Amino acid sequence: MPIRTVIIPAAGRGTRLMPATKVTAKELLPVFDRVAIDFAVEEAIGAGAERVVVVISTSKTAIRSYLGHVALAVSGDGPRIGRQHEGVEIVYVYQDRMLGLGHAILCCRDTVLPGAIGVILPDDIIMGPNALAEMAARYRRGHMVAGMPVSAEDAAQYGIFRVSGLPVDNCIPVSGMVEKPAPGTAPSSIAAVGRYILDPMIFDVLAHTPPGKGGEVQLTDAISIAGLAVPLTAFRFSGSRYDCGNHDGLLAAAIARQAEVHRHRATQS
Ligand code: G1P
């Protein structure tokens, strides 16, 4: 199923990466030879997006300047960002009120092309096979969310799936999700990772989703509500995921990226 539009929400404040994020968008922090948002843009393009909608705030316009430069400067010298963004439109949507991920997606309602919509959270860098492309290859209808197993202690940091059936080819049927469940209450050990393929009906659901965890409109809650009407699938992607919203994850991603670049250079020489 072609995914013509990919939304990259990048308006968040980056509180876990202070103090750098007082003046630099977390999406522009370096991951070895790239910056964090490169991975999301490249994955979107690799998954076939015609339009990439980047959600920023008026204090994060540096992202817009950066992506304008990179589109011109791409040289194809690395394993990722290997080609020009030719033919791909980058559109910016402003979210100046921090009302949550669900609200960020709702802000994009008028900018998406027809058909199912991809979402990539740029904090979640996935190295290895293109996760959104893997999902698109298996997506049929409803909403699909990337998933990975987590320990019981870590479950409270994620959206956790309510599993409702047995997996078939990396696709796990689910009946809903719980955003950051209290310790000991997680409905499964499968956590949501920041890749989504959404039926456009999600916009109507988001418009009526009340604020949830942290007083924010949660995409997790909207997907759960939508699960009453359309199928929900968790997809076990095959790459390695790094949480680049914190210092440990950012460093781990940089080290993995360094290894990827060195491997690539070795095959070139
Ligand atoms: C978001 C989602 C959460 C998901 C997580 C993955 O949370 O709300 O369901 O598990 O991304 O990284 P955040 O980390 O933005 O608080």
Side-chain angles (χ1 to χ4, degrees):
M1 172 88 51
I3 305 298
R4 301 182 63 195
T5 312
V6 172
I7 299 172
I8 302 180
R13 289 199 193 91
T15 40
R16 290 184 295 156
L17 288 171
M18 291 286 192
T21 46
K22 279 180 188 281
V23 291
T24 305
K26 63 179 170 172
E27 295 80 6
L28 298 181
L29 293 176
V31 178
F32 190 56
D33 63 335
R34 300 292 187 205
V35 304
I37 201 166
D38 288 342
F39 293 84
V41 174
E42 178 67 8
E43 187 176 326
I45 294 170
E50 294 167 41
R51 179 178 293 174
V52 177
V53 182
V54 185
V55 185
I56 57 176
S57 66
T58 45
S59 60
K60 293 179 81 176
T61 51
I63 291 177
R64 191 172 182 160
S65 324
Y66 172 74
L67 290 176
H69 283 298
V70 89
L72 297 173
V74 164
S75 62
D77 60 354
R80 301 183 79 116
I81 308 280
R83 58 196 163 110
Q84 300 271 353
H85 298 169
E86 267 165 28
V88 178
E89 194 184 3
I90 302 193
V91 173
Y92 299 88
V93 164
Y94 287 81
Q95 182 199 22
D96 276 321
R97 290 176 304 156
M98 292 302 110
L99 299 180
L101 176 59
H103 177 254
I105 303 300
L106 187 55
C107 288
C108 302
R109 182 176 204 155
D110 297 332
T111 62
V112 300
L113 298 167
I117 300 141
V119 176
I120 296 180
L121 304 189
D123 277 3
D124 281 342
I125 291 183
I126 299 179
M127 295 198 199
N130 183 318
L132 192 65
E134 283 186 328
M135 291 168 69
R138 297 307 316 265
Y139 176 81
R140 294 294 172 268
R141 63 193 199 95
H143 307 301
M144 178 184 266
V145 184
M148 67 174 192
V150 293
S151 66
E153 305 85 76
D154 288 346
Q157 299 167 29
Y158 295 93
I160 303 290
F161 296 105
R162 285 185 202 286
V163 174
S164 60
L166 293 173
V168 179
D169 295 340
N170 292 346
C171 293
I172 309 166
V174 297
S175 59
M177 297 165 74
V178 181
E179 183 67 10
K180 305 196 174 88
T185 66
S188 77
S189 60
I190 311 293
V193 172
R195 302 292 181 278
Y196 304 79
I197 297 182
L198 304 170
D199 183 287
M201 63 85 86
I202 200 70
F203 292 119
D204 284 336
V205 180
L206 280 168
H208 297 103
T209 301
K213 200 91 188 175
E216 297 185 338
V217 178
Q218 297 291 348
L219 181 57
T220 298
D221 295 344
I223 290 173
S224 275
I225 295 166
L228 298 171
V230 296
L232 306 181
T233 308
F235 180 83
R236 187 69 190 93
F237 58 96
S238 47
S240 304
R241 175 259 189 185
Y242 300 89
D243 179 0
C244 294
N246 70 63
H247 294 109
D248 288 315
L250 197 59
L251 178 62
I255 291 168
R257 169 66 188 170
Q258 181 190 37
E260 191 178 57
V261 169
H262 287 181
R263 266 196 312 275
H264 181 72
R265 284 187 193 147
T267 61
Q268 302 290 298
S269 56

